[in-house]
Amino acid sequence: MMALLHGRAGRLSKGESLTPPIVNAAKYALPGSPDHPLPYGRYDNPTWQSVESAIGALEDAETLCFPSGMAAVTAAIMASLTPKSSVLIPSDGYYTVRVLLQEFFHQHEISVTEVPTRQLTDHDVEGFDLVWLETPSNPGLDICDIAAIAQRTHAAGGLVCVDNTTATPLLQRPLGLGADITVSSDTKAIAGHSDVLFGHVSSRNGQIMERVRQWRKLSGSTPGPAEAYLAYRGLMTLELRLSRMCDNAEALANLFYTHKAVKSVRFPGLADDPSYGLCSKQMMRPGFVIGLTFGSASTAESFINDCPAIFAATSFGGIQTSAERRARWGDAVPESYVRLSAGCEPTTALIDTIRATLDSL
Ligand SMILES: *Cc1c(COP(=O)(O)O)cnc(C)c1O
């Protein structure tokens, strides 16, 4: 955290702003040889570098930023696959990642095998060039053992990439657990204010990062400097926000667990949750996303729409508590399954308001 918040401290000269400048640049002065780190706006940008070094301090790894989580996912896939590669991916992970692989990578003879997250810990990884993990999985909140899978995948000659969006590097350190690459949709908790799309890729493998950088430069998958600044600004309060969000999620999970209006709860921090054991092993805290099932889809809709403390919205990780029925997007969950993202509201007020809505259902 010190490195994150004071990263600029050692480098400032008198009169310089504590915050990084938003450098709006397509062109940089480039007399003579073009061999310079800032030759043109698509290659690099000082505002990208500010957010990259801040996120890099948390990941303890070289980090490159992207205009969205999916742009980061695409870069990680492009950097690690060659034609005819085979990939193992979670069947219950972020839907768009699966569609991307099916729609645009199948045609390059990339073979894609889907396995549920809860079976991945014990799944055979022989023959896979890339093992893609998302843990806790979104929206089902199952967890797989990153260290065990990384060890077996490396022994079999493959790479492991972890989508760490639901945890953030403050709750889970995939690279420390042995993963080769980590990607994140910083649109969620890292930027945290529901006002910007952003993403990053981190790795301690210099060759992989060279490919990721090359992909960004050649494909033009480049974030705007103003967006990079918003992500930087959000990141500066990540630890503070997460601490409240995790407190709220724990209090809410306990409320849901005991309330008769709720049929079942998924939260990796509940002692009888299937994810509890692995969560305690590899995560600092169980996070801020809760899955809950009601008696019917209409009860679930009433809960979301009647509660004044909940924004009916997709996505998660923002400062406001929000919820949605994931089946409306076609996720393989019950019609009455609600994914709730705990926000930063004062805990007692949030619990009281949500309890009153549950009582009224
Ligand atoms: C949201 C999300 C993404 C995609 O991120 P965007 O910023 O929306 O492009 C990828 N993976 C996971 C787990 C996500 O939740």
Side-chain angles (χ1 to χ4, degrees), residues 33-345:
S33 160
D35 188 17
H36 184 271
L38 291 173
Y40 179 58
R42 188 162 22 78
Y43 289 53
D44 213 338
N45 175 287
T47 317
W48 304 351
Q49 291 170 356
S50 299
V51 69
E52 287 166 355
S53 73
I55 297 173
L58 295 184
E59 298 281 14
D60 195 11
E62 186 180 353
T63 295
L64 291 169
C65 64
F66 286 86
S68 68
M70 283 314 300
V73 165
T74 307
I77 295 173
M78 292 307 293
S80 35
L81 293 185
T82 51
K84 299 195 166 63
S85 289
S86 46
V87 199
L88 181 61
I89 60 166
S91 56
D92 50 349
Y94 193 67
Y95 172 71
T96 316
V97 176
R98 297 200 303 279
V99 178
L100 173 74
L101 281 160
Q102 282 151 10
E103 294 262 326
F104 285 93
F105 286 82
H106 261 328
Q107 69 204 40
H108 301 289
E109 294 181 62
I110 305 286
S111 84
V112 181
T113 305
E114 296 186 7
V115 170
T117 295
R118 83 187 102 80
Q119 289 170 23
L120 273 169
T121 301
D122 300 315
H123 198 271
D124 187 8
V125 290
E126 201 67 48
F128 290 105
D129 301 285
L130 178 65
V131 174
W132 189 271
L133 308 177
E134 183 184 313
T135 179
S137 63
N138 168 28
L141 303 177
D142 278 319
I143 290 183
C144 57
D145 189 331
I146 298 173
I149 296 167
Q151 201 172 27
R152 282 188 293 113
T153 306
H154 291 156
L159 294 172
V160 174
C161 179
V162 178
D163 183 331
N164 202 34
T165 302
T166 44
T168 83
L170 286 179
L171 301 184
Q172 175 170 273
R173 311 284 305 278
L175 301 177
L177 294 166
D180 302 279
I181 312 169
T182 183
V183 301
S184 164
S185 168
D186 302 337
T187 310
K188 316 292 165 58
I190 286 190
H193 292 69
S194 312
D195 54 4
V196 67
L197 291 161
F198 210 70
H200 77 265
V201 180
S202 300
S203 174
R204 296 172 188 166
N205 178 324
Q207 275 176 330
I208 291 174
M209 289 314 283
E210 209 32 63
R211 291 278 291 167
V212 172
R213 187 182 290 279
Q214 188 77 341
W215 167 256
R216 182 174 69 179
K217 183 178 90 182
L218 298 177
S219 68
S221 184
T222 51
E227 285 72 14
Y229 180 79
L230 281 175
Y232 176 93
R233 177 161 170 147
L235 181 66
M236 291 300 116
T237 54
L238 176 63
E239 194 248 358
L240 208 51
R241 286 183 287 109
L242 270 183
S243 135
R244 174 65 68 82
M245 288 155 73
C246 290
D247 288 350
N248 283 350
E250 273 167 29
L252 282 172
N254 286 321
L255 168 65
F256 295 142
Y257 190 73
T258 51
H259 201 285
K260 63 180 187 337
V262 180
K263 247 177 74 184
S264 63
V265 187
R266 285 302 310 266
F267 183 65
L270 289 171
D272 62 357
D273 190 275
S275 296
Y276 181 77
L278 278 174
C279 171
S280 318
K281 184 179 159 200
Q282 74 185 7
M283 294 181 73
M284 281 62 122
R285 291 189 73 175
F288 49 87
V289 182
I290 304 171
L292 52 159
T293 310
F294 290 90
S296 69
S298 67
T299 312
E301 285 291 334
S302 302
F303 169 69
I304 295 166
N305 298 316
D306 296 354
C307 183
I310 296 175
F311 270 101
T314 192
S315 198
F316 57 90
I319 47 176
Q320 294 98 348
T321 295
S322 68
E324 70 169 332
R325 271 191 326 109
R326 284 304 299 182
R328 68 183 186 157
W329 293 97
D331 281 353
V333 291
E335 285 290 335
S336 61
Y337 182 88
V338 170
R339 182 186 65 194
L340 181 140
S341 174
C344 295
E345 299 86 351

